[in-house]
Amino acid sequence: MLTFFAIVVLAALAVEWLSLRFAGDHRNIRYECKPSVQACEPGEEFLVLSNVANLGRRPSPSIRIEEHFPKSLNVLESDRFNVKWYTKEHRIYYSTVLMRGHQRIRRSLRASILQRGEYFFPYADFYAGDFLGFHEYSYRMENDSSIVIYPAKLRDTELSKNFSDALEDLSRKKQLLEDPISVCGYRDYTGTEPMRQISWKQSAARNALIVKQFDPVRQVSVLIALDTDLHGDFDGYLRQLEYCFSLARTVCEQLEVSGIGYRFVTNAAVKGGLTGITSTGGMGGSFNKILYALGSAKAGSSGTTEELMHAACFGPDRYEMIVLISTHCDGTVETALGKARELRRVHIITLYADQLMPADGDTSAREEAEA
């Protein structure tokens, strides 16, 4: 009996020695976590894909994983994840894995995020224990992935009447300047196009009303200038700034739908310095770049209002209209607008967040995102 007990003890010690050796060796363990999309709309569902792999031949010890996700992540459904808790900056999810040699384990979360911004999935903490549970090794696996949430689109009623009237005028000019001989494409009928623009052949083929798109004789240009510099008191600035991002997104989208070419320039803190993107309209790749820039921009600015307006007015391009979007009109903004009018004899429309936001501060953008 004593011999059998001694054999069991020796075997347990040998297994414990091996488990201590293997638990502390994580050279063959790999970790990756990334969202299924690079960017999306507020409240839109996406997947968080989390993979753990054992590249070695030996099986891994039982590993407890604490994955750090954005705190604003709204988890709709989880797979193979257990307890969650919150820190000041992260939402942490626990899971446990036990892998054979050369095995990869895939887990996923169905999630969404309501607020605009760039959100990171930075790292995970791994904890591997020994056979008898006397000791636990810990190590951190860094991760480099993120998702950008676009600013929400505002309702058309929140835009000023001056801008809506100017947009209708530009759309009429564009139709008058189109070459009726040069057809460059087709699109769905919206109800505003003249009957002569309908392509009956394409409509019959697609079983829906289709209109012709013509090459314009000359480009009708608009400049959208988004100013994110601080004006007035700091109280309410961040809320007004978020509204400005939604304003810029809505204005650009209306120009895209109308097929009007424009240039977007901003002093928002995107990647340092002023950011400028030109789009010919039509909801193409340039518009996606603008959405991404608006979504990833941080609070604050990377240039003054005067620098922004000088960059907007400097150069050979001729604009039919300049739209300035800012949080508040103060002396700095007025001075920059005055110099812009001296440089360019052009119609300037101003959209200020503190004048357009609802009195209670609850924007329709937030309402649409939560819906």
Side-chain angles (χ1 to χ4, degrees):
M1 186 66 180
L2 290 175
T3 302
F4 176 75
F5 180 74
I7 293 174
V8 171
V9 171
L10 290 175
L13 290 175
V15 173
E16 171 68 6
W17 179 81
L18 288 173
S19 67
L20 283 171
R21 180 182 176 185
F22 295 155
D25 184 7
H26 60 274
R27 290 174 297 178
N28 292 321
I29 303 299
R30 298 294 183 269
Y31 169 74
E32 180 187 34
C33 180
K34 62 180 181 180
S36 57
V37 294
Q38 291 184 337
C40 66
E41 298 286 348
E44 182 180 348
E45 182 180 315
F46 61 90
L47 292 178
V48 179
L49 306 173
S50 176
N51 300 328
V52 184
N54 178 16
L55 304 183
R57 293 178 297 175
R58 295 190 301 265
S60 73
S62 179
I63 302 176
R64 179 169 56 89
I65 307 175
E66 296 181 1
E67 297 187 68
H68 290 65
F69 296 150
K71 193 171 183 179
S72 300
L73 191 74
N74 177 31
V75 177
L76 307 176
E77 183 183 14
S78 63
D79 173 36
R80 299 187 185 183
F81 288 86
N82 302 313
V83 184
K84 65 176 182 294
W85 59 288
Y86 296 91
T87 65
K88 184 178 180 180
E89 298 180 351
H90 299 110
R91 177 188 189 114
I92 299 179
Y93 262 78
Y94 289 108
S95 61
T96 303
V97 297
L98 181 61
M99 295 175 289
R100 300 186 301 272
H102 301 294
Q103 183 183 14
R104 181 185 298 271
I105 296 179
R106 298 178 173 87
R107 295 87 50 78
S108 64
L109 291 171
R110 288 178 49 239
S112 65
I113 299 178
L114 292 178
Q115 295 81 21
R116 181 205 69 86
E118 185 174 15
Y119 298 87
F120 295 91
F121 298 81
Y123 61 89
D125 291 324
F126 284 61
Y127 300 89
D130 62 347
F131 174 69
L132 297 178
F134 292 152
H135 187 74
E136 188 175 57
Y137 292 91
S138 64
Y139 51 93
R140 176 166 293 182
M141 290 285 191
E142 300 293 341
N143 189 61
D144 183 20
S145 64
S146 64
I147 187 171
V148 168
I149 305 299
Y150 300 144
K153 180 183 177 181
L154 301 176
R155 296 190 181 99
D156 294 344
T157 54
E158 293 192 60
L159 296 177
S160 71
K161 188 176 184 302
N162 289 339
F163 173 75
S164 300
D165 292 343
L167 181 61
E168 290 181 6
D169 184 55
L170 285 175
S171 298
R172 285 193 297 268
K173 285 183 179 180
K174 182 176 181 296
Q175 290 181 358
L176 291 173
L177 293 171
E178 285 174 341
D179 184 357
I181 298 177
S182 178
V183 178
C184 64
Y186 301 91
R187 58 179 171 81
D188 293 335
Y189 177 69
T190 63
T192 59
E193 297 86 353
M195 295 292 290
R196 61 180 174 81
Q197 198 171 335
I198 297 176
S199 172
W200 299 109
K201 183 178 180 180
Q202 292 291 330
S203 298
R206 304 186 192 184
N207 198 25
L209 286 177
I210 303 297
V211 295
K212 305 172 186 176
Q213 285 184 289
F214 305 107
D215 283 328
V217 176
R218 81 179 163 88
Q219 182 70 41
V220 178
S221 298
V222 180
L223 180 75
I224 308 298
L226 171 61
D227 174 32
T228 62
D229 204 3
L230 173 63
H231 303 293
D233 298 330
F234 187 77
D235 296 340
Y237 165 72
L238 295 179
R239 183 167 52 85
Q240 293 169 4
L241 183 62
E242 290 301 317
Y243 194 85
C244 282
F245 287 127
S246 290
L247 266 176
R249 182 250 168 93
T250 307
V251 168
C252 291
E253 188 163 332
Q254 288 198 357
L255 292 171
E256 293 281 342
V257 172
S258 301
I260 297 175
Y262 65 96
R263 179 166 176 78
F264 173 78
V265 61
T266 180
N267 58 0
V270 178
K271 53 184 178 181
L274 300 180
T275 300
I277 303 172
T278 300
S279 173
T280 57
M283 309 292 285
S286 296
F287 180 58
N288 291 331
K289 292 180 181 179
I290 292 173
L291 286 179
Y292 194 91
L294 290 173
S296 60
K298 307 298 187 296
S301 66
S302 56
T304 65
T305 308
E306 185 174 348
E307 291 171 342
L308 172 67
M309 294 307 296
H310 183 270
C313 296
F314 185 78
D317 296 328
R318 299 180 63 85
Y319 301 109
E320 298 284 336
M321 177 175 66
I322 294 178
V323 181
L324 173 65
I325 301 172
S326 188
T327 58
H328 171 73
C329 182
D330 61 2
T332 304
V333 177
E334 288 289 356
T335 301
L337 286 174
K339 291 183 179 179
R341 292 187 178 97
E342 293 177 0
L343 289 173
R344 288 287 179 97
R345 298 288 183 177
V346 63
H347 181 43
I348 299 179
I349 294 177
T350 56
L351 300 175
Y352 299 117
D354 61 342
Q355 296 178 4
L356 295 174
M357 288 178 64
D360 58 0
D362 293 330
T363 71
S364 62
R366 189 181 298 115
E367 292 172 359
E368 289 183 0
E370 293 177 350

